[in-house]
Amino acid sequence: MRDFICDKVKEIKPSGIRKLFDIANEIPDVISLGVGEPDFDTPWHIRDEGIYSLTKGRTFYTSNAGLQELRDEITRYIKRKYDVEYDSKNEVIVTVGGSEAIDIALRAIINPGDEVIYAEPCFVSYEACIKLAGGKAVSVPLSAETEFRLTAEQLEAAITDKTKAIMISYPNNPTGAIMEKGDLEPIAEIARKYDLLVITDEIYSELTYKGEHVTIASLPGMKERTILINGFSKAYAMTGWRMGYALAPAEILKYMVKIHQFGIMSAPTTSQYAAIEALRNGADDIEEMRMSYNERRRFLMHSFREMGLPCFEPYGAFYVFPDISEFGMTSEEFSTALLKAEKVAVVPGSAFGMCGDKHVRISYAYSLDQLREAMSRIARFLKKLRAEKQ
Amino acid sequence: MTLDSQKRERILKYLEGDAHITADEIAVLLGLDKTDVEAEIKAMEEEKLICGYHALINWEKADNDKVSAMVELTVNLHRSEGFDKVAELIYHYPEVESLYLVSGGYDFLVILKKASMREIANFVSTKLATLDEVATTATHVLLSRYKEQGVDMVGHNKKDMRMVVTP
């Protein structure tokens, strides 16, 4: 029989998380700090709206771009947060999670051979989505020295005459890094100078622990060259509802809608009704969860200091990204050894780009009890490694 | 110096959730000095904002022949006698676990300590109902305790339903 599979798909590396998942899944009583989603349940009033929409028989497709009522709420939210105005009829689309928004944004803009620059470490899908869309993925490796913020110099050095767009995501998964207004301004300047599009994945925007999150779309001359991606998964603990959205100038957005229309039709209707409720009445829930994450973040940073594990202070998302280079292991070796010795699962930094190989990603979307136990196990593990080295 | 009200509330939340939590750990979580947290807790104890550190016990598991009950009371107020005076007459009984003055169809809600049906009947009929101020009583026996102070008492320990590792 012939090999039916497309070469492009075959060439995509499988997600680096898979291997660890397979091992962790076999070990009973594992304490996992490897999860990339909130530990909170979706607030009850939001779930209730989803249920209510079902009892009312709202079980049909919505328009391709999503319920107008929801799109109105999204643009209002963006205006409220960042003072940027989008037309809710032509400049916003409701997607199946932020992930779909990333995919259709890239597919809408990439011609064969176009280069897209993306900052690593980053969410696992960027490189794959760029390649699947036929583009060339150009990574800019970041490091703890710049607190994993993208600098203008690094960006400019990666630009060629084929560069079409840059992709950034702050607050960042896996590093927890943020970029403040002063950090974004030089990036915006380069985008304008080289006439580049910016795709900014701001799914963790509500989880910022130092000042208010700033979107690059709010900087002068940027809205017209930015695709802003966000969603409900992290802010409202709604990962399973698969609710994301993208905002972009009408001229770009209409092509994203075209892809979505043929690939997806419309995002899940139940979830869209729940999302309306989230935007209308969910601000207090966000604040409550944000406070709790921030407290756990402090707890982890304190624990790392006590065990002498270097880690730059992250001010966003719900991850810390400590440096494990003193042990002379790859991040995968370290994670596997920790899992086997202490039954604690963390994700190797290399899963998010090779420049992350000196680090592991630790999520603090866990209860304080679990974090306490995990930290004492990790401390024991490090002590053993250090003793062995001597 | 007392901390701002939000910090205070966070300290209380942590203590409410786990009376064993140390001032040290609260200080780490809230990004405060340990001494400030200790002082704040002491102040709140003195203000009777913190009234005790108790274990939350599921008594239903400890003994089976005793029941919990709550009694709705309506009272007649006499001259120069307010609700507080009536409350005093009631809450000194060791049988009373909690006492609330409420708005609505009755005046006081009395929660009784667990006891046998006989004891509860005795207490209500000979102690509560006979008070001059008490006009009516309605006694409810607790059938099932699902949630107490925010804690699921049914013992369905919530399982983490997330996958072990996700991107």
Side-chain angles (χ1 to χ4, degrees), chain A residues 28-75:
Chain A
D29 315 318
V30 79
I31 294 193
S32 171
L33 302 182
V35 175
E37 60 180 320
D39 58 318
F40 297 100
D41 292 332
T42 306
W44 179 255
H45 64 105
I46 298 173
R47 284 189 269 166
D48 201 31
E49 273 306 305
I51 296 165
Y52 181 69
S53 78
L54 291 174
T55 63
K56 292 297 257 184
R58 292 169 184 159
T59 56
F60 302 99
Y61 295 128
T62 68
S63 67
N64 295 131
L67 291 166
Q68 188 56 51
E69 211 180 338
L70 175 55
R71 284 182 281 152
D72 291 343
E73 288 300 337
I74 291 169
T75 52

Side-chain angles (χ1 to χ4, degrees), chain A residues 26-320:
Chain A
E26 293 301 308
I27 304 177
D29 315 318
V30 79
I31 294 193
S32 171
L33 302 182
V35 175
E37 60 180 320
D39 58 318
F40 297 100
D41 292 332
T42 306
W44 179 255
H45 64 105
I46 298 173
R47 284 189 269 166
D48 201 31
E49 273 306 305
I51 296 165
Y52 181 69
S53 78
L54 291 174
T55 63
K56 292 297 257 184
R58 292 169 184 159
T59 56
F60 302 99
Y61 295 128
T62 68
S63 67
N64 295 131
L67 291 166
Q68 188 56 51
E69 211 180 338
L70 175 55
R71 284 182 281 152
D72 291 343
E73 288 300 337
I74 291 169
T75 52
R76 257 180 233 137
Y77 167 83
I78 295 292
K79 164 89 179 132
R80 203 157 68 225
K81 282 271 159 185
Y82 312 121
D83 200 25
V84 185
E85 290 202 40
Y86 284 93
D87 173 4
S88 68
K89 290 213 162 49
N90 305 308
E91 295 186 320
V92 53
I93 178 172
V94 179
T95 56
V96 181
S99 312
E100 191 221 343
I102 293 163
D103 184 41
I104 61 174
L106 290 165
R107 284 203 277 159
I109 63 155
I110 291 177
N111 279 318
D114 282 349
E115 292 180 4
V116 177
I117 297 173
Y118 66 107
E120 271 187 335
C122 65
F123 185 58
V124 294
S125 83
Y126 299 166
E127 184 190 357
C129 285
I130 295 167
K131 287 181 174 165
L132 287 170
K136 186 177 166 204
V138 179
S139 98
V140 175
L142 305 182
S143 72
E145 280 86 71
T146 54
E147 297 194 330
F148 294 99
R149 296 168 195 227
L150 177 64
T151 65
E153 296 72 42
Q154 289 168 300
L155 173 59
E156 199 159 20
I159 292 174
T160 71
D161 52 7
K162 296 245 171 50
T163 307
K164 187 173 244 176
I166 54 180
M167 262 185 108
I168 52 173
S169 176
Y170 292 93
N172 182 264
N173 173 10
T175 63
I178 58 168
M179 277 181 71
E180 293 165 89
K181 194 175 180 196
D183 304 315
L184 291 169
E185 273 161 349
I187 303 300
E189 196 181 311
I190 299 222
R192 289 187 301 258
K193 181 172 157 195
Y194 291 91
D195 192 18
L196 303 175
L197 183 81
V198 175
I199 300 176
T200 176
D201 174 0
E202 301 183 9
I203 192 76
Y204 290 96
S205 61
E206 288 283 4
L207 304 180
T208 301
Y209 314 111
K210 186 186 185 193
E212 292 279 316
H213 174 74
V214 175
T215 175
I216 195 165
S218 67
L219 300 182
M222 288 309 292
K223 191 198 143 187
E224 50 267 44
R225 57 174 70 254
T226 300
I227 300 177
L228 168 56
I229 294 169
N230 209 322
F232 296 83
S233 294
K234 318 296 170 168
Y236 302 97
M238 291 179 71
T239 47
W241 299 79
R242 311 307 304 123
M243 270 284 100
Y245 55 88
L247 300 134
E251 263 314 298
I252 297 174
L253 195 98
K254 72 179 182 195
Y255 294 103
M256 291 169 64
V257 175
K258 195 192 256 185
I259 302 170
H260 173 83
Q261 169 182 9
F262 293 123
I264 299 288
M265 188 82 89
S266 63
T269 304
T270 311
S271 304
Q272 292 193 50
Y273 280 103
I276 293 171
E277 170 65 18
L279 285 171
R280 284 192 184 147
N281 299 309
D284 291 348
D285 304 310
I286 292 181
E287 188 48 26
E288 183 68 33
M289 292 189 265
R290 201 186 63 82
M291 234 181 325
S292 174
Y293 288 132
N294 192 16
E295 287 158 6
R296 303 178 211 173
R297 182 186 69 88
R298 291 196 194 104
F299 175 76
L300 286 201
M301 291 306 292
H302 175 83
S303 305
F304 291 157
R305 275 193 294 275
E306 285 197 324
M307 40 180 123
L309 187 64
C311 183
F312 89 102
E313 177 120 26
Y315 288 106
F318 39 64
Y319 308 108
V320 287

Side-chain angles (χ1 to χ4, degrees), chain A residues 32 36-37 295 298 361 372, chain B residues 14 25 29 162 164 166:
Chain A
S32 171
E37 60 180 320
E295 287 158 6
R298 291 196 194 104
R361 186 192 76 174
R372 274 192 203 111
Chain B
Y14 273 110
E25 195 163 84
L29 290 162
R162 297 175 293 174
V164 187
T166 54

